[in-house]
Amino acid sequence: QVQLVESGGGLVRAGGSLRLSCAASGRIFSINAMGWYRQAPGKQRELVAAITSGGSTNYAEPVKGRFTISRANAKNTVNLQMNSLKPEDTAVYYCNAQVVLTPGHLYDYWGQGTQVTVSS
């Protein structure tokens, strides 16, 4: 069993910052990519940022230059530093991890979600 536990969401004014953290635990052999997704009311879940085990990153266009994703492989954690937040960043943010339980067996896991609300 693998669990992803997120923390760091909350309410912030436009222009402010928040830092999201996610820790994976359980019977983990290794983790490939980790990432953050978000889902706003009435919208589909979308990728915000992702990072490979080698440190390569990918960002959604709306967050480029404002958000930074990082991870600590030894601790199975991933963070999302969000600066210059805008009201349109308001959403539930989900952590995702592509976990290798045993060699050759890759599974997708999700956190429970953390609410980020940006007021204007």
Side-chain angles (χ1 to χ4, degrees):
Q1 186 77 7
V2 174
Q3 286 189 320
L4 301 184
V5 178
E6 301 142 338
S7 61
L11 172 64
V12 66
R13 289 188 175 184
S17 299
L18 283 174
R19 182 177 177 87
L20 304 183
S21 295
C22 173
S25 62
R27 296 175 61 87
I28 298 171
F29 179 79
S30 65
I31 300 179
N32 289 354
M34 300 185 81
W36 290 93
Y37 290 70
R38 67 187 181 187
Q39 187 167 18
K43 296 187 177 182
Q44 290 194 337
R45 191 174 296 189
E46 62 179 6
L47 173 69
V48 176
I51 184 167
T52 67
S53 57
S56 296
T57 58
N58 179 38
Y59 294 94
E61 197 62 38
V63 308
K64 283 183 179 178
R66 300 187 298 122
F67 291 10
T68 302
I69 190 170
S70 61
R71 67 186 280 180
N73 290 335
K75 296 181 179 180
N76 291 331
T77 58
V78 63
N79 301 305
L80 185 69
Q81 178 65 40
M82 305 185 293
N83 298 328
S84 302
L85 282 160
K86 304 176 180 180
E88 50 264 44
D89 294 318
T90 295
V92 178
Y93 283 70
Y94 296 91
C95 175
N96 172 266
Q98 297 175 355
V99 178
V100 178
L101 296 182
T102 57
H105 294 84
L106 182 68
Y107 297 90
D108 230 18
Y109 288 92
W110 293 89
Q112 79 283 0
T114 185
Q115 177 70 46
V116 171
T117 303
V118 184
S119 64
S120 57

